Amino acid sequence: MTTIAFIGLGNMGGPMACNLAKAGYEVNAYDLSTAALKVVTDAGAHGCDSAVAAAQGASIVISMLPAGQHVETLYLGSEGLFRKIAPQTLVIDSSTIAPETSRKVAEAAQSSDIRFLDAPVSGGVAGATAGTLTFMCGGPVKEYNEARPILECMGKNIFHAGGNGAGQVAKICNNMLLSILMCGTSEALALGEKNGLDPSVLSEVMKQSSGGNWVLNGYNPWPGVMENAPASKGYQGGFLVDLMSKDLGLALDNAVTNKAAIPLGSLARNLFQFHGQQGNGKLDFSSIQNFYRDSKQS
Ligand code: NAD
């Protein structure tokens, strides 16, 4: 029986670890929050009181942490996990972090004879709960092939994007495009509505025309157009404005490092940053629609 250590049991990591336990893996779980740990132990995982304890006897370690500094703290340095776990352990980091940070961690892993994959995800909390996440992996093919059956217990689309860091690059490119699609769709809907068009009718027209896109197909930002979209539930749930700002910040940093021009990504980053600072950070990112609407409208 393969034992998996799972570190970071928040909104995403919690349901992911539960799905591994349900699939029959021995899961050693650890989180700084005892409340987060309880949800996962209730689902059959073994609760541990430190990351080192969780990694004892595990051949796979998965982390799902908020940001790059948390990942560096967990693995690097004299107290980091890379100094404590068995050689040849396969470490899979699913946190969304900068590709440069992920490559730095991968290099440190290699010098400790640890195998490392970056495997950030798309699909949000709903995808984590349903086990339908998309994984974008970066690292050697051998490790990717070994990780695949485990990732398939948590997701339905598993991609190998390239070498170490490539999964993180794919993730930030995808989210940059998504943010641009969301802003563009919101802008078009607001302009149509100013002209007296029904946003539902305009949405259907654009969906069947050359402006059709993922947002119009399943995540319409105008309240009431799609019953199950966050827009029709007061922009609750879904993918937070603050998380989109974080990912766009990673895209911007990466573009600066690589001397890439991302004019639309940069504009989208500023729109989401500003929108978050106006008190909307904990709303779903489709609430950017309100940025384009008069405040007197509901
Ligand atoms: P979260 O804040 O809900 O969970 C993070 C968890 O990590 C918390 O429970 C926290 O206590 C724990 N933690 C922090 N430092 C730790 C440490 N040193 N040891 C053990 N536990 C520690 O965040 P989340 O929404 O689950 O997101 C996790 C990652 O997934 C982030 O990188 C995020 O960008 C990415 N992501 C999130 C979503 C989403 O919709 N929430 C979607 C895709 C990707």
Side-chain angles (χ1 to χ4, degrees), residues 3-249:
T3 300
I4 301 174
F6 206 112
I7 322 288
L9 310 165
N11 292 322
M12 296 293 290
M16 289 165 72
C18 288
N19 282 333
L20 287 175
K22 275 185 218 149
Y25 286 102
E26 282 294 325
V27 178
N28 289 349
Y30 174 65
D31 194 288
L32 297 174
S33 151
T34 47
L37 190 58
K38 185 172 183 315
V39 175
V40 177
T41 51
D42 285 351
H46 175 63
C48 300
D49 58 11
S50 72
V52 175
Q56 286 293 323
S59 54
I60 312 272
V61 174
I62 301 178
S63 47
M64 192 55 166
L65 297 172
Q69 75 261 29
H70 305 92
V71 175
E72 289 195 68
T73 306
L74 176 66
Y75 292 117
L76 309 185
S78 55
E79 290 308 306
L81 266 194
F82 288 164
R83 296 281 179 94
K84 317 271 181 187
I85 57 182
Q88 288 296 303
T89 302
L90 176 58
V91 172
I92 304 169
D93 180 43
S94 284
S95 326
T96 302
I97 66 174
E100 298 75 18
T101 310
S102 197
R103 284 187 206 110
K104 177 180 162 187
V105 176
E107 276 165 30
Q110 201 174 18
S111 38
S112 296
D113 196 20
I114 304 292
R115 301 174 305 137
F116 185 82
L117 278 183
D118 48 296
V121 303
S122 173
V125 178
T129 306
T132 56
L133 292 170
T134 295
F135 282 88
M136 307 166 202
C137 303
V141 173
K142 179 173 175 287
E143 277 70 29
Y144 166 75
N145 285 335
E146 198 176 318
R148 225 188 128 92
I150 293 159
L151 302 182
E152 279 170 350
C153 299
M154 302 179 282
K156 73 169 186 204
N157 293 305
I158 323 289
F159 293 106
H160 184 239
N164 286 121
Q168 298 293 351
V169 174
K171 167 76 185 173
I172 59 179
C173 289
N174 178 69
N175 275 21
M176 183 176 80
L177 175 59
L178 172 61
S179 72
I180 294 166
L181 289 174
M182 185 55 84
C183 290
T185 303
S186 300
E187 198 165 302
L189 287 172
L191 179 63
E193 199 261 0
K194 277 259 179 199
N195 281 271
L197 269 69
D198 178 340
S200 298
V201 173
L202 177 57
S203 293
E204 200 51 35
V205 171
M206 295 194 295
K207 203 162 91 177
Q208 305 302 337
S209 306
S210 45
N213 66 68
W214 185 89
V215 169
L216 284 169
N217 286 345
Y219 216 102
N220 197 295
W222 199 280
V225 173
M226 267 176 193
E227 198 184 337
N228 289 322
S232 300
K233 300 174 188 166
Y235 297 107
Q236 299 300 314
F239 185 57
L240 303 189
V241 169
D242 282 348
L243 282 174
M244 182 54 95
S245 288
K246 172 200 159 187
D247 291 356
L248 287 168

